[in-house]
Amino acid sequence: SAPFGDSVAMAAEKAAKVTRYAGKAGQKVDLVAPAGVVADRVVFWSVGERAKLSPQDTVELGGAIFAHLHMTGSTSVTVIDDADTADMALVAEGILLRAYRFDRYRTKEDADKKPTLKAATLVADDAAAERFAVREGVARGVYLTRDLTSEPPNVLHPESFAERVRDLEELGIEVSILDEAYLKEHGFNALLAVGQGSTKESRVAIMRWNGKGDDSAPVAFLGKGVTFDTGGISIKPSEGMDQMKWDMGGAGIVTGAMCALAARKAKANVIGVVGLVENMPDGNAQRPGDVVTSLSGQTIEVLNTDAEGRLVLADILWHVKETYKPELMVDLATLTGAMIVALGSEYAGIFSNNDELADRLLAAGAETGDKVWRFPLHKNYDKMIDTPTADMKNIGGRGAGSITAAQFLQRFVGDTPWTHIDVAGVVWSEKNMTLSEKGATGYGVRLLDTFIASHYEAN
Ligand code: BES
Ligand code: MN
Ligand code: ZN
């Protein structure tokens, strides 16, 4: 407390005594500053044992600091580390992540309910400032994912989502948008079948970031972008159907991750591909019982029009495998309610045909806090999507709903190393978290970014 003078030191000492402060991680002494001190308040915040502070703990520390102060009336904060060991770039990342708020459509909020904290100053060396540019790039990607996930479904539909992707050209990402005419001509019939009941046209948006500057095979990220999922003719119950605006969560993660990689100028070749459709019931909608011929040539009996995400992914997985011959593919999708039953909102489930790839994602998950847990694939689960009518059906049996969905996807990846991440439980949160307010979490951007940084980046 020395830099603040004796009055603060004395007040802090007393406050520590009367609040049972013991220096445990996260404990703090929070003082309204005595008269004569320039600051509004002085908060002494214990990080606990230094050696135990992981990078992710440091990010979360920033988030906790922001959450503690943003409603207090103070407009700025200065963060000082008395031991000068915490990575201030990570503290700043945490502050940025927690500071996001989606309030674009609130025109009448009382001034006293709005956050006041507008600026943060972190006392650190120049190296931290350089690292901060990188962390800020990543946070920018998380913000984009949250924006896309939060937008209402009348605003964000396949065509407008594609336009938001187009905006990434500004960062040096090469963008191409496949429109409905192109998709029809080239046989993306499974994807188009999902969108055919909607008045909005379907789209596939392709983002290429060539950060290595050579023509080596890219890593491919693919996302389910169902901008609204009514279930189609197999319609969902009305209760809670509004939540299906975030059924584009996988596509939101892929778009945000591409933004992050470009914003921090990652030295990696990565492509991001999102399948954008709206699943509506209508005179032109697909019916339960329809048989569609997917881009791969394999036929699918659509027994439930609400199992639509796998139809979208089937065509884009095949397209990416054939067209870009990627080193590996990772798809992300809010694919099954069963995933939420299994893991809740703590972990996402991963399914992979490649142990090394799965292990790399598990490690990136542990490092970033975007945690993943591996589930099995097996030929006996695969059999559950066989049908006498076509090459496969789009639903499995009674159990293992997340796994049979993954087995379906596996039929479209060939020998390419591949992982499916079912993010149904993690893209949206009903409660405030350390790094996000209730609402879109931005889950997955930091997972994919760290995955690339750890294994696919030239130095
Ligand atoms: N988008 C849903 C999955 C979902 C449900 C995500 C709830 C987040 C919250 C997906 O399209 C779906 O409807 N899946 C069905 C599959 C079933 C018909 C085989 C499901 O999980 O019930
Ligand atoms: Mn559905
Ligand atoms: Zn869906």
Side-chain angles (χ1 to χ4, degrees):
S1 62
F4 306 101
D6 287 348
S7 63
V8 170
M10 280 153 53
E13 203 173 310
K14 176 163 184 188
K17 249 183 230 150
V18 301
T19 59
R20 308 174 80 180
Y21 175 84
K24 288 185 202 149
Q27 270 191 328
K28 49 199 163 286
V29 169
D30 186 354
L31 301 177
V32 173
V37 176
V38 178
D40 303 342
R41 51 171 69 209
V42 180
V43 185
F44 297 92
W45 195 299
S46 174
V47 301
E49 252 182 83
R50 288 270 166 183
K52 287 192 184 154
L53 199 69
S54 71
Q56 176 60 9
D57 292 336
T58 310
V59 176
E60 289 182 6
L61 173 65
I65 289 170
F66 182 86
H68 184 66
L69 295 172
H70 71 136
M71 290 296 185
T72 55
S74 292
T75 54
S76 68
V77 58
T78 300
V79 185
I80 302 166
D81 177 5
D82 66 347
D84 212 20
T85 61
D87 185 342
M88 284 297 189
L90 297 180
V91 176
E93 178 180 358
I95 290 174
L96 277 180
L97 291 176
R98 188 61 174 76
Y100 177 89
R101 195 167 188 253
F102 188 78
D103 53 10
R104 181 169 299 175
Y105 300 108
R106 303 187 65 163
T107 67
K108 294 182 196 289
E109 193 175 21
D110 292 346
D112 63 353
K113 300 253 167 56
K114 284 189 187 162
T116 52
L117 197 57
K118 296 276 181 271
T121 304
L122 295 102
V123 179
D125 57 17
D126 293 348
E130 266 170 53
R131 279 196 308 279
F132 176 64
V134 170
R135 304 322 302 166
E136 192 183 23
V138 174
R140 178 170 173 177
V142 174
Y143 274 39
L144 175 57
T145 298
R146 290 177 180 168
D147 280 346
L148 292 168
T149 308
S150 306
E151 283 289 4
N154 58 331
V155 173
L156 195 78
H157 47 72
E159 296 160 23
S160 57
F161 193 128
E163 287 313 310
R164 302 257 181 135
V165 171
R166 179 74 75 191
D167 294 342
L168 293 178
E169 284 177 342
E170 213 174 88
L171 290 172
I173 293 177
E174 217 182 284
V175 174
S176 44
I177 311 289
L178 312 183
D179 64 14
E180 214 165 272
Y182 181 100
L183 297 171
K184 261 192 200 123
E185 190 182 320
H186 291 81
F188 290 66
N189 300 318
L191 180 146
L192 287 171
V194 177
Q196 75 189 29
S198 169
T199 57
K200 296 290 190 285
E201 283 199 10
S202 301
R203 295 277 185 270
V204 171
I206 300 170
M207 298 157 260
R208 303 184 70 178
W209 172 248
N210 204 5
K212 255 190 199 163
D214 62 17
D215 57 6
S216 57
V219 168
F221 296 139
L222 301 94
K224 167 181 172 180
V226 177
T227 60
F228 195 71
D229 180 13
T230 64
I233 297 299
S234 312
I235 198 162
K236 289 180 180 296
S238 56
E239 171 92 26
M241 197 196 272
D242 60 283
Q243 293 194 7
M244 284 298 105
K245 76 168 184 180
W246 47 261
D247 207 21
M248 38 51 63
I253 295 168
V254 169
T255 307
M258 295 305 293
C259 172
L261 292 168
R264 71 168 183 81
K265 301 192 172 59
K267 295 188 184 66
N269 291 349
V270 185
I271 65 172
V273 178
V274 293
L276 305 169
V277 300
E278 186 182 47
N279 188 20
M280 299 290 269
D282 171 83
N284 195 46
Q286 66 175 337
R287 293 148 291 258
D290 281 6
V291 174
V292 295
T293 302
S294 68
L295 181 63
S296 72
Q298 299 178 93
T299 56
I300 303 162
E301 184 184 18
V302 179
L303 288 180
N304 189 321
T305 65
D306 197 12
E308 85 296 340
R310 65 197 74 182
L311 300 175
V312 173
L313 288 169
D315 280 350
I316 62 174
L317 283 165
W318 188 264
H319 176 69
V320 168
K321 167 178 85 75
E322 292 289 298
T323 309
Y324 301 101
K325 311 271 186 259
E327 179 176 353
L328 61 94
M329 302 194 285
V330 177
D331 78 74
L332 300 103
T334 50
L335 204 62
T336 63
M339 197 74 260
I340 309 175
V341 175
L343 291 174
S345 54
E346 211 52 55
Y347 282 74
I350 62 170
F351 308 76
S352 188
N353 63 3
N354 184 289
D355 292 343
E356 185 185 44
L357 172 54
D359 286 344
R360 288 177 171 186
L361 286 163
L362 286 164
E367 201 173 319
T368 58
D370 288 349
K371 302 184 292 300
V372 299
W373 191 262
R374 190 172 181 186
F375 282 72
L377 294 166
H378 191 276
K379 63 179 173 23
N380 292 354
Y381 290 122
D382 181 72
K383 269 194 225 143
M384 291 167 73
I385 55 171
D386 285 341
T387 172
T389 312
D391 296 334
M392 69 196 85
K393 54 184 175 179
N394 76 331
I395 50 172
R398 200 174 289 279
S402 302
I403 300 174
T404 52
Q407 295 289 168
F408 183 98
L409 300 180
Q410 191 176 13
R411 293 191 182 198
F412 299 87
V413 304
D415 296 329
T416 310
W418 153 80
T419 298
H420 159 57
I421 312 185
D422 193 332
V423 291
V426 292
V427 304
W428 193 266
S429 174
E430 289 304 326
K431 58 178 207 299
N432 288 344
M433 322 258 277
T434 311
L435 296 176
S436 59
E437 278 196 358
K438 175 173 151 50
T441 60
Y443 175 99
V445 173
R446 294 164 71 246
L447 172 73
L448 298 182
D449 177 72
T450 294
F451 169 73
I452 291 293
S454 306
H455 303 286
Y456 303 95
E457 219 162 321
N459 283 307

